[in-house]
C-alpha cells in the first residue's frame, strides 16, 4: 500500500511551506508521495516546493482554476499510489499521522476514511475559538471533533482518505463547493463502499480566516445541505434543521418578552454560559472562552440562515441549485 498525499492549493505558499515542513518530520517508515496541485494561483508556491526536493517525494502541477474538488481529482489521476490521502493546504500534519492511518487500515480496511482536526498552541486566539465552534460536542461540530455518533461517517476533505478503487468507481468529487465531500461520501455508500472515522488520525487545521470569512463559510455550509438533501433525500436528517431552529427559537425568545415570558431566553443564556465556561477551561483562557461564544453564534447564525434560504429556494420552490446558487458550483 503506497500513500499518495493530494494537496490542492490556491494562493497559499506560506501554508504549503508549513505543511511540507510538518511532513518532513513524519515517522512513517515506508515510501509515500506528495502530489501538489496549484489551482490557477496568481501567487504560486513552486519555489517553496523546490526547496523540499530531496527531502520529500513531491510532484508539482499547475492547472487553470476549477475549484478544490476538481483539483483533488486531477491530483488523484496523476498519483501513483493505490490509496489517496487528501489535505487542505492550511493543515499541519502530526509526525505519527500516516502511521496511525496505516495501523487503522491494517486492523479493519475501509475504502474511505476521515479524521478529526485539532488546534496547536501556536494558533491565534480567533483560530482556537473557531476550532472550538467547529469541533465541540456542544455545537454542530461534534462529529468533526472526533465523536462518531452516526452509523455512517462523512469524511471532510481537509483530512480524508480514499482508495484508488473507490475514486475510479465514483469519479471523485463533484463541482459543488462547499458540500463536495458529503456528496462524495453518499455516492460511495450508494456504490457499496464503506466510510469510517479514524479518530487517531487528526490534523492541525489552521483555518486562516477572519470573522467575516468564517461567517461566509458557514453560511455556504448551510446552503449546501438542502441541496444535498434534494439530491439524496434518503439521507436527510432532522438534525440538519437544528441551527435554523436555534435561530428562529432565539427570535421567538425575544418576542415572548413582550408578554413577560423570559424562560426561553434564559435557556439560551445558560447555553452560551456553558459554551463560555467549556471553551475557557478547554483552552485555559477566558479570552478564548469569550471569542468562542462569538464563534458559536456566528456558526449557528450563518449556517441557520443559509440553510433556511436554501431550503425555501431548493426544497419548497423547487429551483435548480445551479440557478438558485450559481456561486456554489465551479465550472469544470
Amino acid at each position: 500500500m503506497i500513500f499518495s498525499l493530494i494537496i490542492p492549493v490556491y494562493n497559499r505558499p506560506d501554508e504549503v511551506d508549513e505543511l511540507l515542513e510538518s511532513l518532513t518530520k513524519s515517522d512513517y517508515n515506508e515510501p509515500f508521495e506528495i502530489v501538489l496541485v496549484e489551482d490557477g494561483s496568481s501567487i504560486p508556491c513552486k519555489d517553496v516546493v523546490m526547496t523540499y526536493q530531496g527531502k520529500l517525494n513531491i510532484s508539482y502541477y499547475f492547472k487553470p482554476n476549477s475549484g478544490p474538488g476538481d483539483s483533488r481529482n486531477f491530483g488523484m489521476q496523476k498519483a501513483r499510489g493505490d490509496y489517496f490521502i487528501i489535505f487542505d493546504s492550511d493543515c499541519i500534519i502530526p509526525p505519527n499521522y500516516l502511521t496511525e492511518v496505516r495501523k487503522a487500515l491494517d486492523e479493519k480496511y475501509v475504502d474511505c476514511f476521515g479524521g478529526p482536526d485539532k488546534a496547536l498552541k501556536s494558533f491565534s486566539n480567533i483560530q482556537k475559538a473557531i476550532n472550538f465552534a467547529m469541533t465541540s460536542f456542544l455545537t454542530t461540530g461534534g462529529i468533526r471533533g472526533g465523536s462518531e455518533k452516526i452509523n455512517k461517517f462523512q469524511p471532510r476533505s481537509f483530512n480524508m482518505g480514499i482508495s484508488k478503487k473507490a475514486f475510479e468507481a465514483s469519479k471523485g468529487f463533484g463541482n459543488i463547493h462547499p458540500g463536495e465531500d458529503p456528496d462524495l461520501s453518499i455516492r460511495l455508500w450508494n456504490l457499496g463502499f464503506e466510510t469510517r472515522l479514524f479518530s487517531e488520525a487528526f490534523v492541525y487545521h489552521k483555518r486562516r480566516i477572519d470573522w467575516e470569512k468564517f461567517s461566509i463559510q458557514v453560511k455556504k455550509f448551510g446552503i449546501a445541505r438542502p441541496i444535498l438533501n434534494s439530491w439524496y433525500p434518503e439521507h436527510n436528517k432532522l438534525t440538519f434543521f437544528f441551527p435554523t431552529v436555534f435561530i428562529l427559537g432565539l427570535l421567538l425568545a425575544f418576542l415572548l418578552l413582550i408578554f413577560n415570558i423570559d424562560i426561553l431566553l434564559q435557556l439560551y443564556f445558560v447555553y452560551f454560559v456553558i459554551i463560555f465556561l467549556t471553551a475557557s477551561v478547554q483552552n485555559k483562557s477566558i479570552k478564548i472562552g469569550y471569542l468562542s461564544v462569538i464563534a458559536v453564534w456566528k456558526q449557528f447564525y450563518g449556517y441557520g440562515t443559509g440553510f433556511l434560504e436554501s431550503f425555501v429556494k431548493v426544497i419548497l420552490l423547487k429551483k435548480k441549485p445551479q440557478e438558485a446558487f450559481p456561486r456554489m458550483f465551479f465550472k469544470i
Side-chain angles (χ1 to χ4, degrees), residues 232-246:
Y232 312 107
E234 68 276 16
H235 294 288
N236 194 2
K237 296 179 183 295
L238 288 176
T239 52
F240 296 153
F241 291 81
F242 178 67
T244 300
V245 173
F246 184 92

Side-chain angles (χ1 to χ4, degrees), residues 214-235:
F214 179 61
S215 297
I216 293 172
Q217 182 187 60
V218 291
K219 184 170 184 177
K220 286 183 176 181
F221 290 158
I223 290 172
R225 183 51 67 179
I227 294 174
L228 296 172
N229 291 345
S230 71
W231 293 347
Y232 312 107
E234 68 276 16
H235 294 288

Side-chain angles (χ1 to χ4, degrees), residues 4-285:
S4 293
L5 313 187
I6 313 299
I7 305 168
V9 60
Y10 180 73
N11 289 340
R12 299 280 181 89
D14 292 341
E15 288 183 354
V16 170
D17 191 19
E18 290 182 306
L19 193 159
L20 294 179
E21 175 61 29
S22 70
L23 287 171
T24 64
K25 301 173 183 177
S26 174
D27 65 10
Y28 191 60
N29 56 14
E30 296 184 32
F32 64 91
E33 70 163 342
I34 300 168
V35 180
L36 199 145
V37 182
E38 192 94 64
D39 187 25
S41 299
S42 59
I43 310 174
C45 64
K46 186 175 182 179
D47 289 344
V48 172
V49 172
M50 293 301 294
T51 65
Y52 288 92
Q53 295 290 350
K55 299 178 184 178
L56 296 166
N57 179 13
I58 307 178
S59 298
Y60 173 86
Y61 298 93
F62 187 97
K63 54 175 280 300
N65 179 256
S66 59
D70 187 55
S71 295
R72 296 180 192 117
N73 292 343
F74 180 93
M76 288 186 279
Q77 290 167 354
K78 298 293 185 181
R80 292 169 289 178
D82 53 15
Y83 208 103
F84 309 135
I85 297 177
I86 302 163
F87 295 132
D88 279 355
S89 63
D90 59 352
C91 290
I92 296 174
I93 315 304
N96 65 335
Y97 177 90
L98 291 176
T99 301
E100 290 294 339
V101 170
R102 183 57 186 264
K103 178 181 176 183
L105 288 172
D106 286 344
E107 289 178 353
K108 186 178 179 182
Y109 182 84
V110 68
D111 282 286
C112 182
F113 75 86
D117 55 329
K118 297 185 179 183
L120 278 170
K121 291 181 179 180
S122 60
F123 286 10
S124 71
N125 288 340
I126 289 180
Q127 286 174 331
K128 291 176 181 177
I130 291 175
N131 180 267
F132 177 86
M134 295 295 285
T135 62
S136 175
F137 70 95
L138 293 171
T139 70
T140 62
I143 294 299
R144 293 167 66 95
S147 174
E148 189 171 17
K149 296 181 180 178
I150 55 177
N151 293 330
K152 294 182 177 181
F153 180 70
Q154 294 184 353
R156 298 297 188 267
S157 50
F158 66 85
N159 179 10
M160 177 181 185
I162 181 172
S163 70
K164 183 176 181 179
K165 177 182 177 182
F167 167 67
E168 291 177 343
S170 65
K171 308 302 181 185
F173 294 95
N175 67 330
I176 187 173
H177 177 73
E180 71 274 21
D181 25 25
D183 169 58
L184 175 56
S185 294
I186 294 172
R187 287 189 286 110
L188 287 172
W189 296 341
N190 292 341
L191 289 168
F193 294 100
E194 295 183 1
T195 61
R196 197 164 82 245
L197 171 70
F198 288 2
S199 58
E200 298 302 315
F202 63 87
V203 300
Y204 299 111
H205 197 185
K206 298 198 76 166
R207 293 191 179 89
R208 290 188 175 176
I209 50 181
D210 54 29
W211 286 131
E212 182 180 0
K213 291 178 180 178
F214 179 61
S215 297
I216 293 172
Q217 182 187 60
V218 291
K219 184 170 184 177
K220 286 183 176 181
F221 290 158
I223 290 172
R225 183 51 67 179
I227 294 174
L228 296 172
N229 291 345
S230 71
W231 293 347
Y232 312 107
E234 68 276 16
H235 294 288
N236 194 2
K237 296 179 183 295
L238 288 176
T239 52
F240 296 153
F241 291 81
F242 178 67
T244 300
V245 173
F246 184 92
I247 296 301
L248 296 177
L250 184 58
L251 177 62
L252 176 62
F254 282 109
L255 291 175
L256 288 175
L257 289 179
I258 299 174
F259 305 98
N260 293 320
I261 301 174
D262 63 356
I263 182 63
L264 186 57
L265 193 59
Q266 290 181 36
L267 292 175
Y268 276 89
F269 177 76
V270 170
Y271 172 75
F272 280 110
V273 168
I274 293 173
I275 291 292
F276 170 76
L277 293 175
T278 304
S280 296
V281 171
Q282 181 175 308
N283 291 281
K284 299 179 181 179
S285 169

